Each structure stands twice: as C-alpha cells, then as structure tokens.
Amino acid sequence: MLQSIDTNLWTATQPLSIFGMQIGARMTVVKLGSGGLLVHAPISLTPELRAAIDALGPVQAAVAPNAMHHMFLGPFLAAYPQARGYAAPGAIAKHPELQLEAIPNNPDLLWAGDLDHFELAGAPGLGEVAFFHRASRTLILTDWVFYFKEAPNWLTGLYLRLSRALGKPAQTAFLRGMIKDRAAARAAIERLLQWDFDRVVMSHRDILPSGGKEAVRAATAWL
C-alpha cells in the first residue's frame, strides 16, 4: 500500500529476493504541479496498489530509472495507457516492444516544475538517473546507495557485512563493481551534492529520513 512520506510524495514496497538475499523493492510516486502523477521504478501493480494510485490522480509518466528496474514497466504502462513511458538507455534496450522515451538530459516539461534529474556517470552498465524532488528536499535514488538498518536474513546480513553496508547508507560490492570510471562517478556525486536534499529514498529497504547529504558523501568517499 502507498505510504505518504511528504506532501505530494508517496512510496510503496514489495518483497524482492535475489539469490536468497531479501532486498525488497520500492516505488516512488510524485504528484506533479499538473495534478498528474510520476511513478518512479514501478513495482507489481496489485489491485490494492492500483486503487491507491488512482485515488491520487491520473498517472502521467512511469519511469525506469536504470537498467535494472524495468521488470514491471510494461505491465504498468498497459494498465495506464495514457501515461508516457520513460527509461534509462539500458532499460530501453531490454524492451523493444514498448514505445519508451529516453529520459532527457534536461528536465522534461512534464516534471520540470517539480523535479530535477541527471544521469550518474561512471557506471555505464547501470545508467542510473537520480531525481530530486525540490519541494520536499528528497533525493530519489535506485541502486547507487542502499540503506539496511538491519539484516532481514543471515545471507543478506553476510553480504552487507562483507560490503561494509549494514546499518548505514552505503554502496554495496555489486554497485562498486559496476563503476568503471571512478573519476566520472566522483564528478557525478559532486554534482549530486549540489542539490539541497535532506531525505534520501532508495529502491531497496529503508528510507533515510534526514541527514542525507552527509550520508551520501560518506557512502561515496571511497571514489
């Protein structure tokens, strides 16, 4: 079910397990100045979730923000045929059957009044696009930073401890392995830190309600 985390900002989560690691999946919904909705990283659309979304307003855009978070984009757009589908290049390549638009380099007019965004360079296999909801000072990430306050099972905990990513916002070993150009990634983080964010919403596990800028700086200090 949708959870309100600020004015015009909601999230919804579902279980997700990869190789026995329980990481969960999160979708973020932003109500735009137009009154329509932008849905970031759609998850499986259950009847209950659809009813909650429909109560907020019409879906105008659904976004697959990196090459990994695309699984439910097709079914979501089929449920909301009036919505425009946007995706990072890696996700577009995986869905030739969908009429997807590339996430533009500059803010799309549909959301320019509410959100800023840019692609985090340095990890071309991921191609993640970060979003910033200005009104709530919320940074919306997908896989660049994880936050597990505690481990949901022993295997997840083992992986997180080996990644030094348990109990604090961090980049996992998987993400570090995806970064091929550390200088470009470091420059992207410096640009990211210019945004005036406090909260950080990530697509897996916990939300960081405050102190986000300091946490992101610490999580990426190795670059």
Side-chain angles (χ1 to χ4, degrees), residues 73-89:
L73 185 61
F76 198 91
L77 290 172
Y80 294 100
Q82 78 283 3
R84 293 164 64 180
Y86 292 85

Side-chain angles (χ1 to χ4, degrees), residues 70-154:
H70 61 87
M71 185 181 303
F72 299 106
L73 185 61
F76 198 91
L77 290 172
Y80 294 100
Q82 78 283 3
R84 293 164 64 180
Y86 292 85
I92 289 178
K94 293 176 180 178
H95 291 283
E97 79 284 3
L98 299 177
Q99 294 183 336
L100 299 175
E101 301 177 50
I103 301 172
N105 291 329
N106 298 311
D108 191 282
L109 291 178
L110 183 62
W111 66 73
D114 305 278
L115 295 159
D116 294 318
H117 75 271
F118 74 93
E119 183 177 342
L120 295 164
L126 193 60
E128 180 165 328
V129 178
F131 285 80
F132 173 50
H133 186 237
R134 294 188 295 272
S136 66
R137 299 180 62 208
T138 299
L139 174 64
I140 305 172
L141 295 176
T142 312
D143 293 322
W144 262 69
V145 177
F146 283 58
Y147 180 35
F148 284 68
K149 287 191 285 188
E150 56 186 28
N153 68 354
W154 73 269

Side-chain angles (χ1 to χ4, degrees), residues 7-209:
T7 303
N8 295 328
L9 191 64
W10 299 263
T11 68
T13 59
Q14 289 177 342
L16 175 65
S17 178
I18 297 179
F19 303 120
M21 293 183 291
Q22 297 174 7
I23 63 173
R26 174 175 289 105
M27 176 180 78
T28 304
V29 179
V30 180
K31 189 162 191 176
L32 306 173
S34 63
L37 306 176
L38 179 144
V39 179
H40 175 277
I43 57 177
S44 179
L45 191 63
T46 64
E48 295 79 10
L49 181 56
R50 177 163 189 172
I53 292 172
D54 291 346
L56 300 178
V59 176
Q60 291 187 311
V63 180
N66 70 18
M68 304 295 181
H69 286 254
H70 61 87
M71 185 181 303
F72 299 106
L73 185 61
F76 198 91
L77 290 172
Y80 294 100
Q82 78 283 3
R84 293 164 64 180
Y86 292 85
I92 289 178
K94 293 176 180 178
H95 291 283
E97 79 284 3
L98 299 177
Q99 294 183 336
L100 299 175
E101 301 177 50
I103 301 172
N105 291 329
N106 298 311
D108 191 282
L109 291 178
L110 183 62
W111 66 73
D114 305 278
L115 295 159
D116 294 318
H117 75 271
F118 74 93
E119 183 177 342
L120 295 164
L126 193 60
E128 180 165 328
V129 178
F131 285 80
F132 173 50
H133 186 237
R134 294 188 295 272
S136 66
R137 299 180 62 208
T138 299
L139 174 64
I140 305 172
L141 295 176
T142 312
D143 293 322
W144 262 69
V145 177
F146 283 58
Y147 180 35
F148 284 68
K149 287 191 285 188
E150 56 186 28
N153 68 354
W154 73 269
L155 183 59
T156 310
L158 175 62
Y159 175 73
L160 292 169
R161 282 190 289 272
L162 291 173
S163 298
R164 298 180 181 178
L166 182 60
K168 62 181 179 180
Q171 292 184 309
T172 63
F174 166 77
L175 189 280
R176 293 187 183 206
M178 294 289 287
I179 293 176
K180 305 304 181 184
D181 186 336
R182 288 177 63 173
R186 186 164 53 248
I189 291 299
E190 288 304 316
R191 180 178 175 185
L192 190 75
L193 292 171
Q194 292 178 15
W195 283 339
D196 182 30
F197 64 91
D198 190 35
R199 178 190 293 112
V200 184
V201 173
M202 295 147 279
S203 288
H204 301 288
R205 296 299 295 183
D206 298 301
I207 292 173
L208 185 65

